[in-house]
């Protein structure tokens, strides 16, 4: 079962600001087996209004670094249930039940990402011509940048899905074996991003590069100019972490890494992605 955060997961400031919110039905059901329900008159709850009841949670906001996150921090068993066969047939069928139209959207999500060339352009100056790559949380490896020229393409992922041709799933990453570790669209999902970055940094060699790609959510961009904008976050789905630039920088530095190149990639739908290249902090090299 989840624990409840009481400090910022990026910079560790305490206490964070708090706003009531709800956990979306699909996540609540898949991770915990919790169902939404309708409170009707025959419940006999005189002091509770009638209507749809959803699992309650809180949006937490750090006044120090701007991090916005769900207070519920899922444990390993919760994450395993939530991401089993991620975007596979059973996952899509179950999510379609809760969110009609998801199956069609999933086809776009699992196809070739249109911005891979932009990601590769960010990475190319930092790597050898044929890099050894570990895609951490890379699903099938279909959208691993530079995989077509990689001399080694490993996938470390909990979904259990079959990798694309040329990619090799690994149960334990080999320390100091990779020129590049890719952590793409992962940090927004995980309960303890600092712990994850610590695991990644222990696999890196002094010359390894880490590519971090994750959403720069529209709400976070809005929050940079509008005080209190974060309070509009009233629901949580699979993205349990919304990063500001300051929060992401703090997290990286607290994990023994440093930012080498801070880029942003625009997606065709108008969304914006952090596309940052990191390396071990100078003292570790």
């Amino acid at each position: 079962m989840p624990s409840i955060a009481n400090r910022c997961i990026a910079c560790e400031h305490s206490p964070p600001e708090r706003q009531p919110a709800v956990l979306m039905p699909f996540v609540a059901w898949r991770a915990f087996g919790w169902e939404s329900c309708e409170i009707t008159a025959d419940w006999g709850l005189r002091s509770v209004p009638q209507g749809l009841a959803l699992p309650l949670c809180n949006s937490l906001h750090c006044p120090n670094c701007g991090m916005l996150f769900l207070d519920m921090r899922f444990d390993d068993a919760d994450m395993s249930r939530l991401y089993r066969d991620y975007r596979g047939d059973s996952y899509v069928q179950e999510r379609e039940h809760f969110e009609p139209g998801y199956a069609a959207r999933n086809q776009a999500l699992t196809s070739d990402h249109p911005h891979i060339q932009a990601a590769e352009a960010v990475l190319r100056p930092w790597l050898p011509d044929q890099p050894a790559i570990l895609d951490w949380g890379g699903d099938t490896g279909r959208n691993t940048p530079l995989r077509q020229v990689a001399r080694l393409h490993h996938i470390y992922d909990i979904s259990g899905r079959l990798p694309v041709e040329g990619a090799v799933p690994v149960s334990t990453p080999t320390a100091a074996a990779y020129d590049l570790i890719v952590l793409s669209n992962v940090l927004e999902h995980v309960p303890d991003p600092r712990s994850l970055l610590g695991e990644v940094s222990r696999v890196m060699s002094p010359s390894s590069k880490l590519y971090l790609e994750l959403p720069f959510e529209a709400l976070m961009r809005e929050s940079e100019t509008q005080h209190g904008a974060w309070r509009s976050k009233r629901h949580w789905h699979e993205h349990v972490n919304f990063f500001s630039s300051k929060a992401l920088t703090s997290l990286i530095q607290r994990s023994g890494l440093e930012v080498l190149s801070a880029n942003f990639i625009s997606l065709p739908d108008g969304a914006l992605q952090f596309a940052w290249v990191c390396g071990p902090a100078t003292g570790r090299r």
Side-chain angles (χ1 to χ4, degrees), residues 160-237:
R161 300 186 66 203
L162 293 175
V164 295
E165 184 177 356
V168 179
V170 294
S171 57
T172 304
T174 303
Y178 307 104
D179 301 302
L180 171 66
I181 298 178
V182 176
L183 205 60
S184 177
N185 295 286
V186 173
L187 284 183
E188 67 271 27
H189 296 262
V190 298
D192 189 350
R194 183 176 177 185
S195 177
L196 174 59
L197 286 183
E199 291 181 48
V200 171
S201 67
R202 286 190 287 274
V203 175
M204 298 174 70
S205 71
S207 62
S208 295
K209 302 299 183 289
L210 170 63
Y211 177 64
L212 288 176
E213 185 179 317
L214 61 150
F216 190 11
E217 305 280 1
L219 178 57
M220 302 309 292
R221 303 198 300 273
E222 182 182 344
S223 294
E224 293 190 346
T225 57
Q226 297 186 32
H227 178 73
W230 70 272
R231 290 191 178 276
S232 65
K233 183 60 177 174
R234 293 287 195 169
H235 72 281
W236 291 93
H237 206 289

Side-chain angles (χ1 to χ4, degrees), residues 19-32:
Q19 175 80 41
V22 296
L23 189 63
M24 293 299 283
F26 170 73
V27 175
W29 168 254
R30 190 165 174 93
F32 311 122

Side-chain angles (χ1 to χ4, degrees), residues 216-264:
F216 190 11
E217 305 280 1
L219 178 57
M220 302 309 292
R221 303 198 300 273
E222 182 182 344
S223 294
E224 293 190 346
T225 57
Q226 297 186 32
H227 178 73
W230 70 272
R231 290 191 178 276
S232 65
K233 183 60 177 174
R234 293 287 195 169
H235 72 281
W236 291 93
H237 206 289
E238 59 181 308
H239 289 188
V240 298
N241 306 317
F242 279 29
F243 287 89
S244 66
S245 295
K246 184 177 180 181
L248 185 56
T249 300
S250 178
L251 178 67
I252 290 167
Q253 292 175 344
R254 287 172 177 270
S255 303
L257 301 166
E258 65 179 343
V259 180
L260 302 175
S261 177
N263 306 276
F264 295 90

Side-chain angles (χ1 to χ4, degrees), residues 10 16 43 69 71 99 103 106 120 134 142 161 197 213 224:
W43 283 45
F69 55 105
D71 66 340
E99 303 168 18
N106 184 64
E120 292 177 340
L134 171 65
R142 180 172 182 169
R161 300 186 66 203
L197 286 183
E213 185 179 317
E224 293 190 346

Side-chain angles (χ1 to χ4, degrees), residues 63-79:
N64 180 55
C65 73
M67 185 78 198
L68 178 60
F69 55 105
L70 172 64
D71 66 340
M72 300 170 66
R73 301 282 96 185
F74 303 156
D75 65 20
D76 289 346
D78 303 330
M79 293 292 284

Side-chain angles (χ1 to χ4, degrees), residues 114-169:
H115 67 285
I116 288 297
Q117 289 185 340
E120 292 177 340
V122 167
L123 285 166
R124 178 44 77 195
W126 300 96
L127 298 168
D129 291 341
Q130 295 180 305
I133 301 175
L134 171 65
D135 197 339
W136 194 303
D139 194 35
T140 65
R142 180 172 182 169
N143 286 297
T144 302
L146 299 173
R147 72 178 179 91
Q148 302 292 353
V149 296
R151 70 176 187 275
L152 180 70
H153 182 194
H154 283 178
I155 304 293
Y156 184 51
D157 193 87
I158 66 173
S159 70
R161 300 186 66 203
L162 293 175
V164 295
E165 184 177 356
V168 179

